Amino acid sequence: MKRVILLTITVIAILIFVSGCKQRTNNNGQNKNGKITITATIFPPYDFVRAIAGDTVNLSMLLPPASESHSFEPTPKDIITIQNSDIFIYVGGESDAWVNRILESMDTRTMTIIALMDTVDVVEEEVVEGMEAEEEEEPAYDEHVWTSPQNAGRIVRSIADALCKTDTANADFYRQNAADYIAQLEKLDAEFQAVTGNANRKTIIFGDRFPFRYFADRYGLSYFAAFPGCSTETEPSAATVAFLIDKIKRERIPVVFHIELGNERMADTIAEETGAKKLLLHACHNISKKDFENGATYLDLMRMNVENLRRALQ
Ligand SMILES: [Zn+2]
């Protein structure tokens, strides 16, 4: 609660400051090259905009690479960045409660705001057998909508529409790039279909959190994992670990997955106990500094997922 009050005070203070200098920013700030300004909170929409718009726009990602997206707190500079955006893209789930508080206190009349969760059909986070749920929690909609390439295509369409409306001079360019990118997403989707369609098994195991609900639904996979996708827990109970070990042994599952930027300790333990290989299934929530600097894309990471999934379903 204290954090909420503090944040609110910060937002109000900053907005007073920003409204004082907004005029100046507009005249010789972000629009000096005639480019529109787009801010995305996390990596997938940032990467989608980059694919559709390239250098035609001023684009920034709010979450620093490698940072934990579930406990993000905006800095005063972040709030100014949002305020100065022509298009602002966020997820719209539980982890984004801070976004709603900020937007409520901002003048958003000239801003196009896209919540990824509004662009697809959302499903609730699931607690499957063996999983540790957080106590006293209402079931929430799963935020990780981009993990299904089919959803990514829907998100790209929404972003392209916003770009075309906001920057009509470049609309043809955006439309063509979006069409090309969606074709690549469809190819990726077909690769996952082929891997899962020809597979010996349909069950995947995560010694980690599970942010792949949309992905698993799309490809008819069942799964067992230690925690739901947005759980803040990282230390599993002995019973949870034993359950996952037993599953792997019983069904002779060759791979235990972990997700990106975690500690991997649980997956290591399970791999040691079962002889299963530990592999990464990248949820693209955020990426490492090194990947970011090397220009890694959603498509790159997802293509690695195709290979690792193939090995897991053998
Ligand atoms: Zn999450």
Side-chain angles (χ1 to χ4, degrees):
M1 192 60 200
K2 217 173 178 181
R3 252 162 56 170
V4 174
I5 293 167
L6 251 176
L7 178 68
T8 309
I9 293 169
T10 317
V11 170
I12 291 168
I14 289 166
L15 290 177
I16 291 168
F17 170 74
V18 172
S19 54
C21 62
K22 174 113 201 207
Q23 197 57 46
R24 196 183 62 205
T25 313
N26 272 347
N27 287 342
N28 53 23
Q30 86 267 29
N31 287 331
K32 66 181 166 193
N33 307 323
K35 291 182 179 183
I36 59 167
T37 296
I38 303 170
T39 304
T41 52
I42 62 166
F43 178 71
Y46 167 85
D47 186 50
F48 299 155
V49 174
R50 188 167 56 175
I52 306 169
D55 293 337
T56 311
V57 300
N58 298 319
L59 171 64
S60 56
M61 181 167 98
L62 218 52
L63 262 77
S67 70
E68 170 48 60
S69 56
H70 299 103
S71 53
F72 178 73
E73 295 278 341
T75 64
K77 192 166 162 278
D78 293 333
I79 295 168
I80 294 172
T81 303
I82 296 171
Q83 175 72 84
N84 286 334
S85 303
D86 298 300
I87 301 174
F88 174 62
I89 311 170
Y90 70 117
V91 180
E94 265 186 310
S95 311
D96 277 350
W98 63 270
V99 174
N100 298 329
R101 289 198 299 274
I102 286 175
L103 291 180
E104 271 166 27
S105 52
M106 248 178 213
D107 180 0
T108 56
R109 277 173 299 181
T110 59
M111 204 187 286
T112 300
I113 298 165
I114 302 173
L116 302 189
M117 292 177 78
D118 291 343
T119 67
V120 302
D121 299 323
V122 287
V123 293
E124 280 178 1
E125 264 192 344
E126 251 181 345
V127 177
V128 297
E129 189 189 1
M131 194 183 259
E132 287 179 43
E134 287 180 317
E135 279 164 36
E136 300 159 30
E137 273 222 345
E138 302 260 311
Y141 287 111
D142 193 312
E143 319 187 330
H144 311 92
V145 289
W146 62 86
T147 56
S148 142
Q150 189 195 33
N151 278 355
R154 290 184 186 149
I155 293 166
V156 166
R157 277 191 191 92
S158 298
I159 293 174
D161 285 346
L163 280 165
C164 293
K165 266 188 211 138
T166 311
D167 185 13
T168 48
N170 291 307
D172 289 344
F173 175 72
Y174 299 140
R175 251 182 247 295
Q176 184 58 52
N177 289 345
D180 292 347
Y181 191 72
I182 287 166
Q184 295 190 69
L185 289 170
E186 283 168 354
K187 190 164 165 267
L188 175 71
D189 182 51
E191 284 171 35
F192 279 121
Q193 300 272 16
V195 166
T196 48
N198 300 328
N200 289 329
R201 62 182 78 246
K202 297 278 182 194
T203 304
I204 48 178
I205 308 277
F206 279 68
D208 212 323
R209 301 185 310 217
F210 185 80
F212 287 96
R213 175 82 210 274
Y214 296 92
F215 179 86
D217 282 1
R218 173 69 181 162
Y219 303 113
L221 297 169
S222 58
Y223 62 91
F224 297 97
F227 306 109
C230 277
S231 176
T232 49
E233 297 283 333
T234 51
E235 295 302 325
S237 68
T240 297
V241 177
F243 175 85
L244 295 173
I245 287 173
D246 184 58
K247 266 282 168 222
I248 289 178
K249 284 184 174 166
R250 227 181 258 266
E251 298 189 27
R252 298 175 195 278
I253 292 174
V255 166
V256 56
F257 280 122
H258 68 93
I259 61 171
E260 70 278 9
L261 304 171
N263 69 31
E264 299 173 34
R265 275 204 298 271
M266 187 190 341
D268 281 329
T269 306
I270 294 170
E272 272 163 37
E273 286 294 320
T274 58
K277 190 156 182 57
K278 183 187 75 170
L279 290 177
L280 168 67
L281 207 65
H282 205 303
C284 305
H285 225 312
N286 202 347
I287 64 174
S288 67
K289 278 201 183 83
K290 192 167 155 256
D291 280 349
F292 192 76
E293 280 156 16
N294 291 337
T297 67
Y298 172 89
L299 285 171
D300 294 335
L301 300 169
M302 278 295 185
R303 283 176 192 136
M304 282 193 287
N305 285 346
V306 171
E307 287 320 307
N308 285 352
L309 185 66
R310 194 193 312 277
R311 293 170 71 179
L313 298 181
Q314 277 168 3

